[in-house]
């Protein structure tokens, strides 16, 4: 999800529409609204980037954001002046783009920043699954696979999380946005099920591991052994041999 901070409501609305056409959730705030929300917001891992537009507090907002979240901060600038660009970088932004700019360029720049900071390969953990984080369809098993935009978004998010366990809520927030109220988060189960079948048919194995009460994880090796699954559960403090009726959720 992209968070747009701009005093100009029409600018924020325009970018929200552009991201929506790319299948990406976004939300717009005025600077005052944003600071009020940021102060009380909960978990922010679903945020892909903050887009910092025209506002009086632009010089101080990046450092305020950094206290809560490590997502990229990209400044949207309409001034093509070296002095202005340098000032934005000194304020703490990760990149500066000059408007107008296509949402796909913002997606590509966000992906590049994240790869540099987290050490993520553009191809994912293994060459069998290659995602590009810029709206292009992924390459699965050496060939392009066309995916619906929600399934593509889930796959990109899983690759970006480098094999971490993700709860249904975390995936929902990344795909639909943390303010979405139209859909129920259980829709993620359907999206993941369809994605798993397509990947399994192409690769010959299921790269998405699921565990009840834990969530989903992308494993691009040629399968996950029972020993590996047991070790994962034990690392999370759960006995793999425990009866399902006795398992207690560790995420809320």
């Amino acid at each position: 999800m992209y968070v747009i901070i701009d005093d100009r409501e029409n600018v924020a609305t325009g970018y929200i529409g552009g991201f929506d056409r790319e299948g990406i959730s976004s939300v717009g705030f005025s600077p005052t609204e944003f600071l009020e929300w940021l102060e009380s917001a909960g978990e922010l891992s679903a945020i892909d980037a903050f887009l910092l537009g025209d506002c009086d507090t632009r010089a101080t907002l990046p450092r305020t954001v950094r206290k809560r979240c490590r997502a990229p901060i990209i400044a949207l600038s309409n001034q093509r002046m070296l002095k202005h660009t340098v000032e934005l970088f000194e304020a703490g932004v990760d990149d500066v783009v000059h408007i107008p700019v296509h949402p796909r360029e913002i997606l590509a720049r966000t992906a590049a920043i994240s790869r540099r900071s987290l050490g993520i390969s553009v191809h994912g953990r293994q060459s069998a699954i290659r995602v590009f984080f810029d709206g292009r369809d992924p390459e699965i098993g050496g060939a392009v696979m066309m995916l619906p935009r929600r399934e593509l978004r889930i796959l990109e998010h899983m690759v970006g999380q480098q094999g971490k366990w993700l709860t249904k809520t975390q995936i929902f927030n990344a795909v639909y946005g943390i303010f979405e109220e139209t859909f129920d988060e259980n829709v993620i189960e359907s999206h993941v099920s369809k994605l798993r079948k397509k990947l399994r048919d192409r690769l010959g194995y299921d790269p998405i591991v699921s565990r009840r009460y834990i969530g989903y994880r992308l494993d691009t090796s040629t399968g996950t052994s029972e020993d590996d699954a047991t070790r994962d559960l034990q690392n999370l403090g759960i006995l793999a041999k425990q009866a399902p009726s006795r398992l207690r959720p560790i995420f809320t």
Side-chain angles (χ1 to χ4, degrees):
M1 186 182 81
Y2 282 75
V3 176
I4 305 160
I5 307 107
D6 201 302
D7 274 328
R8 301 161 299 176
E9 184 177 351
N10 62 322
V11 172
T13 301
Y15 278 103
I16 289 171
F19 282 121
D20 185 62
R21 288 188 290 274
E22 298 297 329
I24 304 296
S25 60
S26 59
V27 63
F29 289 106
S30 70
T32 301
E33 292 172 336
F34 172 71
L35 290 173
E36 292 175 352
W37 169 76
L38 186 66
E39 184 177 350
S40 59
E43 203 258 347
L44 301 176
S45 63
I47 295 177
D48 295 288
F50 298 90
L51 303 183
L52 188 53
D54 189 14
C55 58
D56 293 337
T57 56
R58 183 152 62 174
T60 59
L61 275 177
R63 290 178 174 80
T64 302
V65 170
R66 276 291 166 261
K67 295 176 182 178
R68 292 292 320 276
C69 186
R70 302 304 302 174
I73 303 172
I74 300 176
L76 305 174
S77 175
N78 57 5
Q79 298 184 41
R80 294 179 179 273
M81 298 172 56
L82 176 60
K83 179 178 181 293
H84 181 68
T85 300
V86 170
E87 287 175 348
L88 288 171
F89 278 114
E90 289 178 344
V93 304
D94 297 294
D95 199 358
V96 178
V97 297
H98 295 97
I99 56 177
V101 58
H102 195 281
R104 282 203 173 187
E105 180 178 341
I106 295 175
L107 298 181
R109 288 176 178 272
T110 301
I113 295 168
S114 297
R115 288 196 302 270
R116 289 195 297 268
S117 62
L118 300 176
I120 301 172
S121 168
V122 68
H123 307 315
R125 297 177 62 200
Q126 299 287 341
S127 59
I129 297 179
R130 303 177 61 188
V131 297
F132 305 99
F133 301 99
D134 59 4
R136 285 182 289 169
D137 287 309
E139 292 183 7
I140 309 297
V144 173
M145 174 180 283
M146 295 183 64
L147 290 174
R149 60 187 188 179
R150 303 301 186 193
E151 295 174 26
L152 172 60
R153 185 68 178 135
I154 290 172
L155 182 61
E156 289 176 338
H157 189 60
M158 287 185 167
V159 171
Q161 293 299 310
Q162 298 178 288
K164 297 177 182 177
W165 286 102
L166 299 170
T167 66
K168 182 168 59 179
T169 300
Q170 287 174 317
I171 297 175
F172 179 86
N173 289 343
V175 175
Y176 286 92
I178 58 181
F179 297 102
E180 175 58 53
E181 297 180 348
T182 305
F183 297 93
D184 187 273
E185 66 178 29
N186 288 325
V187 72
I188 292 300
E189 296 178 3
S190 176
H191 289 322
V192 172
S193 177
K194 294 174 182 177
L195 176 61
R196 292 178 77 169
K197 183 179 185 303
K198 294 171 184 177
L199 296 177
R200 183 169 59 244
D201 290 346
R202 176 68 63 86
L203 297 174
Y205 64 92
D206 189 352
I208 298 179
V209 182
S210 62
R211 290 289 178 267
R212 192 179 184 187
Y213 305 125
I214 298 176
Y216 304 94
R217 188 189 71 179
L218 184 68
D219 183 355
T220 52
S221 63
T222 56
T224 301
S225 68
E226 186 62 29
D227 288 342
D228 291 337
T230 300
R231 188 179 307 113
D232 290 330
L233 292 172
Q234 290 174 335
N235 288 339
L236 289 166
I238 298 176
L239 297 176
K241 294 182 180 181
Q242 200 170 9
S245 61
R246 295 171 58 194
L247 288 174
R248 300 179 63 185
I250 63 173
F251 293 106
T252 58

